[in-house]
Amino acid sequence: MRIGIIGTGNIGATLARKLAKAGHSVLIANSRGPETLKNLANETGAKAVSAEEASHGVEVVILSVPFARVPLLKDILAGLKDEVIVADTSNYFPVRDGQIPAIDGGQVESLWVSEQIGHAVVKAWNNVLAVVLASKGLPAGADGRIALSVAGDDPAAKRVVMSLVEDTGFDAIDGGALA
């Protein structure tokens, strides 16, 4: 599968490593430009590109940016075809992200993300710390394999993301709808 990852912090970089190792074609992008991703690209076999390039010609775009920066992706993702799946790894941390009145008022984080980017999302890889994601993945069927919840409103898109969660070394469980 061709996957674009926007954001290469602890979570995004770990997903790039795991998904490339699982045989996926991975494009990686960050806010500092592709030239800053040379080492990660060399390590993983992923291709360093701009955020715009990471969202074109792919089947899945994984957003792994700080929550408050999600609105900055709207223009980049504006041309996404409906069939492109967007997986969101973010979590709202007011200490880091500042106050977001809609979330503080009770709006579900993932629904807010969908509104900000103008595209439906599937929520995944957000319920464990980066160190767990990096170090605790195990082969399918292994004793002690951890399960991660995947939530979304499109059953087909959710199944695709669940298969990617499995490829990263975790059992995927259906977390229901975004709301």
Side-chain angles (χ1 to χ4, degrees):
M1 184 171 292
R2 192 163 162 88
I3 301 166
I5 300 175
I6 301 175
T8 54
N10 293 330
I11 299 286
T14 296
L15 291 175
R17 288 179 183 99
K18 290 178 171 272
L19 293 169
K21 185 176 181 181
H24 297 284
S25 174
V26 178
L27 305 174
I28 51 175
N30 66 16
S31 61
R32 296 176 310 279
E35 63 281 353
T36 66
L37 295 170
K38 183 178 178 182
N39 290 342
L40 181 61
N42 288 338
E43 172 195 341
T44 62
K47 182 178 180 186
V49 297
S50 69
E52 291 83 1
E53 291 171 294
S55 64
H56 293 293
V58 296
E59 296 156 273
V60 176
V61 174
I62 298 173
L63 305 181
S64 193
V65 300
F67 194 79
R69 298 186 117 184
V70 166
L72 301 174
L73 299 175
K74 184 172 186 158
D75 289 342
I76 291 169
L77 301 175
L80 276 184
K81 295 180 180 176
D82 289 342
E83 62 269 13
V84 175
I85 298 165
V86 177
D88 172 38
T89 71
S90 67
N91 288 307
Y92 175 47
F93 294 106
V95 171
R96 175 196 66 198
D97 300 319
Q99 298 301 130
I100 300 174
I103 305 297
D104 294 339
Q107 185 176 22
V108 174
E109 291 177 20
S110 298
L111 295 176
W112 182 86
V113 169
S114 290
E115 277 182 12
Q116 299 308 304
I117 66 169
H119 196 89
V121 300
V122 176
K123 192 72 160 184
W125 297 290
N126 68 308
N127 48 1
V128 292
L129 297 172
V131 68
V132 172
L133 186 61
S135 66
K136 299 294 183 182
L138 295 171
D143 287 341
R145 185 160 144 137
I146 297 170
L148 301 182
S149 175
V150 177
D153 296 333
D154 178 336
K158 191 167 25 173
R159 280 191 301 275
V160 169
V161 175
M162 290 175 77
S163 75
L164 295 175
V165 167
E166 297 276 343
D167 287 347
T168 62
F170 299 89
D171 289 335
I173 57 170
D174 190 331
L178 288 178

